[in-house]
């Protein structure tokens, strides 16, 4: 069975990736190597730089991901700063920033995911996915991680945190980027 390392410290992401790769004959193994997340305006640049950094010291097949939540009313904030903002003001802080916006189109947001897939000595390949939705009025649900309790994908009334892993994967930014990565794998 082929092993694909997933470079991340986020156990929630690992659960989602393993769920997506189950039945594909690929063993996903988490590796918490750590890498610099550069200050850049696009997730692609952050993922690509991180991938090249890891590639220099880790001579195996691996993936890593950069993701972010972009809120229209806040001009795309927290976006590429999603991790820092989550660890400082968290979901509650985002809800406070959104307190002037009612339950209508003004709460629109998009989650984006970019995976870098890396083979030794080859240029990293990028796979993107996005999921449009809105910011909930309050935190709901106990599943998932990060901003899941405040994000409702289009076509749903529940937040990501009110869904199980397989269901979130059907809608989510990560589910979609992984779908592209899996298609690529199947063609190889
Ligand atoms: P990272 O830099 O890709 O690890 O993610 C940036 C931030 O966005 C982290 O604080 C995560 O908690 C959050 N995040 C990323 N993906 C998701 C998701 O699928 N659901 C909720 N929060 C997420």
């Amino acid at each position: 069975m082929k092993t694909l390392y997933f470079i991340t410290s986020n156990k929630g992401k690992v659960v989602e990736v393993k769920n997506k790769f189950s039945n594909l004959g690929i063993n996903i193994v988490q590796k918490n190597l750590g890498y610099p997340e550069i200050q850049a305006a696009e997730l692609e640049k952050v993922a690509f730089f991180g991938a090249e950094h890891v590639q220099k010291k880790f001579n195996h097949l691996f993936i890593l991901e950069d993701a972010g939540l972009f809120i229209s009313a806040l001009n795309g904030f927290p976006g590429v700063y999603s991790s820092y903002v989550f660890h400082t003001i968290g979901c509650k802080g985002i809800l406070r920033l959104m307190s002037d916006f009612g339950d209508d189109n003004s709460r629109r947001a998009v989650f984006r995911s970019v995976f870098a897939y890396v083979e030794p000595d080859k240029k990293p390949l990028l796979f993107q996915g996005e999921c449009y939705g809105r910011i909930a009025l309050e935190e709901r649900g106990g599943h998932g991680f990060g901003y899941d309790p405040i994000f409702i994908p289009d076509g749903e009334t529940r937040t990501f945190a009110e869904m199980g892993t397989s269901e979130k994967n059907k809608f989510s930014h990560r589910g979609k980027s992984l779908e592209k990565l899996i298609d690529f794998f199947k063609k190889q």
Side-chain angles (χ1 to χ4, degrees), residues 72-137:
S72 305
L74 306 178
N75 293 327
F77 183 84
V80 289
Y81 309 109
S82 291
S83 178
Y84 178 75
V85 171
F86 183 74
H87 291 107
T88 49
I89 64 172
C91 289
K92 288 189 173 49
I94 293 289
L95 289 177
R96 268 197 303 276
L97 291 175
M98 294 299 291
S99 58
D100 283 345
F101 300 94
D103 193 16
D104 53 28
N105 269 344
S106 62
R107 296 180 79 87
R108 303 253 343 125
V110 57
F111 252 125
R112 295 208 163 93
S113 154
V114 178
F115 269 92
Y117 166 78
V118 187
E119 292 179 25
D121 304 320
K122 285 198 184 166
K123 202 172 153 199
L125 299 175
L126 300 180
F127 298 87
Q128 289 103 335
E130 53 188 19
C131 174
Y132 285 87
R134 63 187 189 279
I135 302 298
L137 292 171

Side-chain angles (χ1 to χ4, degrees), residues 13 37 65-67 82-83 86 111 145-148 168 173-174:
K13 288 187 180 183
E37 290 204 11
E65 189 215 31
D66 200 48
S82 291
S83 178
F86 183 74
F111 252 125
F145 65 95
Y147 300 107
D148 280 348
K168 178 182 170 189
H173 49 310
R174 184 163 303 106

